[in-house]
Amino acid sequence: MKYLFCLCVLTILSCVSEPKPVVLEVYDFDGIENFLNKKDDKVYVVNFWATWCAPCVKELPYFEELNANYKNKNVEIILISLDFPQKYESKLKPFIQKHQIESKVIALDDVDSNSWIPKVSESWSGAIPATLIYNKDKRQFYEQSFNYSELETELKQFLK
Amino acid sequence: MKTIKTLFVLVAVVTLSAFTNAKTIGPNHGYHVGDFATDFKLENIDGTTVSLSNFKDAKGFIVVFTCNTCPYAVAYEDRVEALNKKYAKKGYPVIAIMPNNTNVKPGDNMEAMKRRAKAKGFTFPYLMDEGQKIYPQYGAKKTPHVYLLQKTKKGNQVKYIGAIDDNYKDASAVTTKYVENAVDALLEGREIKESNTRAIGCSIKV
């Protein structure tokens, strides 16, 4: 009986502590391009980042905050990770889990960056963090870091 | 007399504003292919100071803005060393410059640079951009970021700006070696086919 009780407790505990597994979508640039050219009525805020990029990690909470405040206002945040594929399991997924990232995270795995960087923006040198805000009518690219108010100010240009 | 005075003021204003403009262009622009690159006097990991003018026999330079802490820069360390091994003897030595603010990235300070260079056996100068004055003049945005210079009578002319090759992940899977192609072209007096390329890198920490 005691044994059964222990087993029950263990089962319950393991259920409670078992975190939801992170499902990561990985694309080459052809796949990513769909996320950069949606033609619906939403405003998309697309951030290029990586777990090893300190300024990216620093600004990530602002994108999360933007997501929380604007997801019901026709705004979608997409976080495109440039982490190295061999780090998806050891770094990226644990990071998403630990910080309970709510925004959509997808991974871009495409080594031929010389061909795809200009397709994101002609003005992009390739440094991250970098952010693209767009809707079906206009787009703006930012090779810079953001704080929350700067980010919100830029987004509001698209919500007028 | 009055007209001369007015004229003088006008010239002064125009000259001043020209200089102000040049200043504001600074950090966001930098060199394009065809421009002449500034020389510098920067501290090397061996305690000496290095200038491009020290290299009397060089035909040019492979200037690489790089650091210890950026995964992309790390992925290219061996390939930068290989570039120096291959091209220093042909007149195009690698000159590596670490552009980050070391207060923001202590892992890029001089001691860390020395350790890294020793561990990896770098044979090229690895210089500290003390005060971060050189990288903005070049217009470097990230690590790694390459500027290939050719020595001419008028100075060191920028011939190529961009990435080392087209595969950061796997050196053995590279299909185009941008920098090697550019240096080979210079050595053989050919035109450089691709003189601007782009790659993902870590933003330079200010």
Side-chain angles (χ1 to χ4, degrees), chain A residues 21-77:
Chain A
V22 176
V23 182
L24 182 69
E25 297 169 33
V26 181
Y27 298 93
D28 62 8
F29 190 74
D30 285 343
I32 287 290
E33 239 178 338
N34 300 322
F35 295 95
L36 308 180
N37 295 291
K38 289 185 187 278
K39 303 285 185 203
D40 53 33
D41 290 325
K42 280 189 187 174
V43 176
Y44 291 88
V45 180
V46 184
N47 174 243
F48 292 86
W49 70 293
T51 58
W52 48 258
C53 163
C56 304
V57 170
K58 191 181 168 202
E59 69 176 9
L60 214 56
Y62 310 134
F63 287 87
E64 281 287 275
E65 196 178 340
L66 204 70
N67 180 56
N69 294 340
Y70 285 91
K71 66 181 171 196
N72 298 327
K73 294 171 183 160
N74 239 1
V75 175
E76 188 172 336
I77 315 290

Side-chain angles (χ1 to χ4, degrees), chain B residues 20-75:
Chain B
T20 328
N21 276 341
K23 252 188 186 161
T24 49
I25 285 171
N28 291 323
H29 291 73
Y31 300 138
H32 295 101
V33 168
D35 289 348
F36 290 93
T38 186
D39 200 351
F40 40 73
K41 202 173 171 182
L42 298 174
E43 190 184 355
N44 192 10
I45 42 173
D46 64 3
T48 61
T49 52
V50 170
S51 296
L52 298 179
S53 61
N54 297 151
F55 296 79
K56 301 287 180 220
D57 298 331
K59 294 174 184 159
F61 305 92
I62 305 169
V63 177
V64 185
F65 290 91
T66 188
C67 68
N68 299 333
T69 53
C70 170
Y72 282 91
V74 171

Side-chain angles (χ1 to χ4, degrees), chain A residues 19-157:
Chain A
K20 196 174 74 183
V22 176
V23 182
L24 182 69
E25 297 169 33
V26 181
Y27 298 93
D28 62 8
F29 190 74
D30 285 343
I32 287 290
E33 239 178 338
N34 300 322
F35 295 95
L36 308 180
N37 295 291
K38 289 185 187 278
K39 303 285 185 203
D40 53 33
D41 290 325
K42 280 189 187 174
V43 176
Y44 291 88
V45 180
V46 184
N47 174 243
F48 292 86
W49 70 293
T51 58
W52 48 258
C53 163
C56 304
V57 170
K58 191 181 168 202
E59 69 176 9
L60 214 56
Y62 310 134
F63 287 87
E64 281 287 275
E65 196 178 340
L66 204 70
N67 180 56
N69 294 340
Y70 285 91
K71 66 181 171 196
N72 298 327
K73 294 171 183 160
N74 239 1
V75 175
E76 188 172 336
I77 315 290
I78 301 172
L79 305 173
I80 299 182
S81 163
L82 290 163
D83 278 86
F84 293 6
Q86 71 268 28
K87 301 285 185 189
Y88 289 163
E89 294 302 324
S90 62
K91 287 274 193 298
L92 181 56
K93 287 183 179 180
F95 183 95
I96 295 167
Q97 201 145 49
K98 184 182 165 203
H99 296 275
Q100 300 179 333
I101 305 289
E102 292 287 332
S103 309
K104 184 178 182 65
V105 180
I106 54 181
L108 168 56
D109 177 18
D110 196 325
V111 291
D112 191 10
S113 48
N114 185 47
S115 72
W116 60 256
I117 287 171
K119 291 181 191 165
V120 178
S121 169
E122 264 305 324
S123 70
W124 190 12
S125 80
I128 57 171
T131 299
L132 171 74
I133 305 181
Y134 78 93
N135 61 19
K136 63 180 187 305
D137 299 320
K138 64 172 181 172
R139 52 205 294 132
Q140 185 72 42
F141 183 79
Y142 312 84
E143 186 169 344
Q144 63 171 77
S145 295
F146 279 108
N147 61 32
Y148 184 74
S149 70
E150 289 165 347
L151 191 57
E152 192 178 37
T153 305
E154 291 305 323
L155 174 63
K156 281 179 176 168
Q157 303 289 323

